[in-house]
């Protein structure tokens, strides 16, 4: 009887690790580095991409902070203005993965 319980437990354990729900990425405007929240590291990641050859944002639409359909230095300035100077709020829209890269980056 104990063996049966152990086998059932092991089967449940194995199945719980082998069956994972597919995670759908969630892109939010301003969360350029896909961290827990929008913060200064997002502006740094964008500037690094634009001027130092750093990795491109996974979602270019999330990097278009000022919603002008371009990704450039004005997006980093807009984000920093919002974070530290009480500037205009950024959109809280969630961007579907199918629309994640439909913009052009201009350094």
């Amino acid at each position: 009887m104990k063996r049966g319980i152990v086998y059932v437990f092991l089967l449940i354990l194995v199945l719980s690790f082998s069956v994972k729900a597919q995670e759908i990425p969630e892109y939010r405007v301003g969360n350029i580095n896909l961290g827990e929240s929008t913060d200064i590291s997002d502006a740094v990641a964008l500037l690094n991409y634009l001027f130092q050859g750093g990795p491109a944002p996974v979602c270019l639409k999330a990097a278009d902070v000022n919603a002008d359909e371009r990704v450039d230095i004005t997006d980093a300035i807009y984000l920093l203005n919002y974070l530290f100077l009480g500037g205009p709020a950024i959109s809280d829209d969630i961007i579907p993965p199918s629309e994640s890269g439909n913009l052009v980056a201009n350094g």
Side-chain angles (χ1 to χ4, degrees):
M1 181 69 172
K2 286 185 180 180
R3 267 192 185 177
I5 293 172
V6 170
Y7 288 133
V8 170
F9 176 74
L10 288 174
L11 180 63
I12 291 170
L13 187 64
V14 168
L15 289 176
S16 68
F17 283 110
S18 63
V19 178
K20 291 184 178 179
Q22 183 179 5
E23 291 185 30
I24 297 173
E26 185 175 277
Y27 305 120
R28 290 187 176 272
V29 174
N31 191 354
I32 297 158
N33 65 3
L34 303 180
E36 292 289 318
S37 62
T38 301
D39 55 28
I40 191 170
S41 66
D42 296 296
V44 170
L46 180 55
L47 291 169
N48 186 38
Y49 163 65
L50 290 171
F51 299 107
Q52 297 296 315
V58 174
C59 177
L60 282 175
K61 279 195 138 185
D64 182 23
V65 180
N66 63 2
D68 66 354
E69 297 295 317
R70 295 183 312 209
V71 176
D72 54 24
I73 192 171
T74 61
D75 295 298
I77 293 169
Y78 193 97
L79 180 56
L80 291 168
N81 187 36
Y82 164 71
L83 290 170
F84 298 107
L85 299 175
I90 57 176
S91 170
D92 61 353
D93 290 345
I94 296 174
I95 302 160
S98 62
E99 297 178 18
S100 65
N102 298 335
L103 297 177
V104 175
N106 302 311

